[in-house]
């Protein structure tokens, strides 16, 4: 078995993991959230979120380039000492944990309301988590390669969706532009920014394994820009094809979007494509967060292996997802009102502190040499 | 009750799968952490199977950011 430090992924694989992570669960839930407050200006919200996201990308890249092959968890412990550093690392892991819960909740809600209404949630979660655990146990290299393999499929399906919806675009749906006012647009942008970009703080866990000679600023910013542009395209299509009122009332507008496709009366109801797209991106993001959680935990506790943690953690995640989602209304209320602020604290304030720490204090290990 | 027994069987299976390797490689620390996590997971899952009412983890966020539940 290879040592953990030898696990390497290419810059290209890293970029793809970031792109798929940014799209993650956003592709299915964000159109509703942005349209609820910004109506026909949902796409402006997304644009604003993307601009803010590039700022977050810049922050993460600044940290990544200063970590020099260290994981954020070990870096904090090396600089703050075992206790304070450990507490900071634990906060980061808590963020990953809650993020996985939201993704699993959304995935199970989507499956039970749209695709498999008779199947119990537990069964769906068990199968999904089993795949995540197996993927983790194969290692980072294996799932980075898998994402590389899935990405062209994903991009092709997305292009397919866009091309076949273009005939149904109604530009009138965008008008009047900017009528809802800046505050509504801002209100829509905040959760989009939090769910799409601030949660990607998990990419720092991958940084020690990227085989890059130069800086990581470019791959991170490219990943954020491409992922953000894809999200913008999806939200724009939702507004122009469905219109803001349908976007707001349907829980999964992107899914309805795919149902709208008709090609010459023989290619109809292609929502399975949408489901496939979404499962690729959600699986990828869950895997990233689960990787961050498990690896981070083993680094925090200074363990030499982490495979034995995978199944117990999976069980804990399953139970917390089931009790965390008593019904869709309670869940959505928390997600829209309180969750973005949680994401901001742990996805922006905590990394900002880490960056300050990296700038001010050198690692004890390094200064001791 | 049947589902509770299934959870116990699952926990036993996981232990049987992971523990022998850890013991053979003399990973004491890893084994201890594994047992703690497995016990916690089994307790949670068992409580779910017995339909015990558990606190919602999202309520932590609501308490901190929403100004009280």
């Amino acid at each position: 078995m290879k040592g953990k430090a030898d696990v390497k992924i290419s810059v290209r694989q890293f970029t793809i993991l970031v792109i798929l992570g940014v799209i993650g669960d956003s592709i299915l839930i964000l159109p509703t959230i942005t349209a609820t407050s910004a109506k026909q200006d949902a796409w402006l919200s997304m644009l604003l979120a993307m601009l803010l996201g590039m700022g977050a990308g810049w922050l993460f890249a600044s940290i990544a380039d200063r970590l020099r092959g260290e994981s954020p968890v070990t870096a904090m412990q090396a600089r703050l000492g075992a206790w304070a550093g450990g507490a900071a690392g634990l906060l980061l892991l808590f963020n990953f944990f809650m993020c996985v819960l939201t993704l699993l909740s959304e995935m199970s809600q989507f499956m039970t309301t749209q695709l498999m209404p008779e199947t119990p949630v537990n069964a769906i979660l068990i199968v999904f988590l089993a795949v995540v655990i197996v993927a983790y146990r194969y290692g980072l290299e294996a799932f980075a390669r898998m994402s590389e393999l899935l990405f062209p499929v994903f991009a092709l399906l997305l292009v397919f969706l866009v091309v076949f919806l273009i005939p149904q675009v109604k530009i009138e749906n965008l008008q009047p532009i900017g009528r809802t006012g800046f505050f509504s647009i801002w209100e829509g942008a905040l959760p989009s920014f939090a769910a799409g970009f601030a949660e990607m703080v998990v990419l720092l866990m991958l940084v020690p394994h990227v085989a890059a000679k130069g800086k990581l600023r470019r791959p991170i910013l490219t990943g954020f820009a491409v992922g953000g542009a894809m999200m913008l395209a999806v939200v724009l299509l939702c507004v122009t094809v469905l219109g803001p009122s349908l976007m707001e009332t349907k829980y999964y507008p992107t899914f309805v979007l795919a149902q709208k496709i008709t090609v010459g009366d023989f290619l109809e109801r292609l929502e399975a494509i949408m489901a496939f797209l979404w499962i690729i991106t959600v699986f990828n993001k869950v895997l990233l967060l689960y990787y961050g959680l498990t690896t981070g935990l083993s680094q925090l506790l200074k363990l030499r292996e982490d495979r034995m943690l995978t199944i117990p953690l999976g069980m804990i995640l399953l139970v917390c997802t089931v009790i965390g989602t008593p019904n869709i209304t309670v869940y959505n209320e928390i997600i829209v009102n309180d969750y973005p602020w949680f994401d901001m604290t742990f996805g922006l304030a905590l990394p900002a502190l880490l960056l300050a720490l990296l700038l001010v204090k050198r690692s004890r290990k390094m200064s001791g040499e | 009750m049947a589902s509770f027994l299934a959870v116990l069987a699952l926990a036993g299976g996981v232990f049987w799968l992971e523990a022998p390797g850890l013991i053979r490689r003399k990973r004491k620390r890893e084994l201890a952490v594994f047992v703690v996590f497995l016990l916690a997971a089994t307790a949670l899952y068992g409580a779910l199977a017995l339909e015990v009412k558990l606190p919602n983890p999202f309520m932590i966020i609501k308490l901190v950011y929403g100004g009280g539940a």
Side-chain angles (χ1 to χ4, degrees):
Chain A
M1 211 176 115
K2 275 200 238 179
K4 269 190 206 144
D6 303 331
V7 176
K8 288 283 176 234
I9 59 172
S10 68
V11 173
R12 185 188 144 90
Q13 287 168 336
F14 177 66
T15 317
I16 287 174
L17 286 172
V18 173
I19 295 174
L20 291 177
V22 167
I23 299 170
D25 53 335
S26 315
I27 192 167
L28 214 56
I29 57 156
L30 280 197
T32 315
I33 295 178
T34 47
T36 307
S37 49
K39 314 288 173 203
Q40 74 273 14
D41 295 326
W43 65 284
L44 286 173
S45 287
M46 197 54 228
L47 198 65
L48 185 61
M50 199 178 149
L51 290 176
L52 292 171
M54 295 314 281
W58 182 85
L59 172 70
F60 298 155
S62 310
I63 299 170
D65 284 334
R66 282 178 180 84
L67 278 172
R68 291 195 191 86
E70 265 181 299
S71 127
V73 175
T74 50
M76 285 195 274
Q77 276 190 320
R79 282 167 187 78
L80 287 174
W83 288 105
L90 207 58
L91 287 177
L92 199 62
L93 295 186
F94 178 65
N95 176 39
F96 297 160
F97 183 78
M98 296 311 283
C99 285
V100 183
L101 287 191
T102 62
L103 280 157
L104 289 173
S105 290
E106 280 151 16
M107 194 274 302
S108 60
Q109 283 164 14
F110 174 71
M111 293 300 266
T112 47
T113 56
Q114 307 292 322
L115 290 176
M116 303 159 94
E118 303 290 321
T119 316
V121 185
N122 293 27
I124 293 168
L125 285 171
I126 287 174
V127 174
F128 192 80
L129 278 167
V131 182
V132 170
I133 289 169
V134 170
Y136 181 84
R137 289 169 80 110
Y138 272 119
L140 176 60
E141 279 169 328
F143 74 71
R145 275 199 296 270
M146 188 201 67
S147 303
E148 203 177 9
L149 205 64
L150 281 175
F151 187 68
V153 181
F154 170 81
L156 208 69
L157 287 178
L158 193 69
V159 168
F160 182 86
L161 192 76
V162 172
V163 167
F164 284 106
L165 280 170
I166 283 180
Q168 303 189 34
V169 164
K170 290 191 223 57
I171 296 294
E172 310 88 84
N173 279 342
L174 289 179
Q175 289 156 346
I177 293 174
R179 188 65 180 281
T180 51
F182 181 75
F183 185 72
S184 312
I185 295 173
W186 174 255
E187 220 179 342
L190 208 64
S192 321
F193 165 68
F197 300 97
E199 279 180 12
M200 282 311 288
V201 61
V202 68
L203 69 85
L204 294 178
M205 293 299 292
L206 295 177
V207 163
H209 301 296
V210 183
K213 290 184 201 79
K215 302 224 167 221
L216 286 176
R217 190 172 299 273
R218 256 188 70 175
I220 292 175
L221 288 180
T222 314
F224 274 43
V226 173
M230 284 174 166
M231 275 308 303
L232 187 63
V234 169
V235 173
L236 252 176
L237 271 181
C238 279
V239 182
T240 50
V241 175
L242 298 176
S245 49
L246 203 56
M247 238 172 121
E248 199 180 331
T249 44
K250 291 276 179 189
Y251 268 131
Y252 304 107
T254 357
F255 201 59
V256 182
L257 202 60
Q259 291 174 347
K260 287 262 175 191
I261 298 179
T262 51
V263 183
D265 287 334
F266 69 95
L267 221 51
E268 305 271 343
R269 291 202 60 160
L270 298 170
E271 65 263 36
I273 291 186
M274 193 58 229
F276 189 66
L277 275 183
W278 192 63
I279 287 168
I280 292 178
T281 57
V282 168
F283 175 72
N284 187 78
K285 194 168 176 184
V286 169
L287 196 52
L288 277 188
L289 289 162
Y290 183 79
Y291 174 85
L293 183 64
T294 314
T295 312
L297 197 64
S298 81
Q299 286 166 352
L300 197 69
L301 299 169
K302 298 197 170 60
L303 305 179
R304 280 172 295 179
E305 331 179 359
D306 49 22
R307 288 167 68 97
M308 71 282 167
L309 286 175
T310 51
I311 301 176
L313 271 178
M315 287 162 73
I316 294 174
L317 286 172
L318 180 122
V319 177
C320 290
T321 307
V322 174
I323 53 180
T325 323
N327 58 57
I328 204 162
T329 325
V330 170
Y331 176 80
N332 277 335
E333 207 261 315
I334 297 175
I335 280 301
V336 174
N337 295 330
D338 306 325
Y339 198 77
W341 296 107
F342 168 77
D343 264 348
M344 299 283 190
T345 323
F346 288 85
L348 284 183
L350 194 64
L353 282 176
L354 176 61
L355 180 62
L357 196 67
L358 288 168
L359 287 172
V360 171
K361 221 169 169 183
R362 296 187 52 146
S363 167
R364 281 185 191 174
K365 221 189 298 171
M366 276 161 66
S367 50
E369 277 166 7
Chain B
M1 202 59 208
S3 47
F4 181 69
L5 291 178
V7 171
L8 287 186
L10 173 70
V14 175
F15 187 81
W16 178 76
L17 183 75
E18 308 276 10
L22 290 173
I23 294 167
R24 195 164 1 98
R25 276 168 301 200
K26 296 199 175 62
R27 298 280 154 93
K28 278 185 200 149
R29 197 183 169 88
E30 284 76 6
L31 186 66
V33 173
F34 167 65
V35 169
V36 168
F37 270 86
L38 187 60
L39 283 177
T42 313
L44 273 175
Y45 208 160
L48 186 73
L50 291 174
E51 291 170 23
V52 177
K53 194 142 176 56
L54 295 163
N56 184 341
F58 287 115
M59 282 305 157
I60 306 172
I61 291 175
K62 203 174 162 54
L63 279 175
V64 176
Y65 294 92

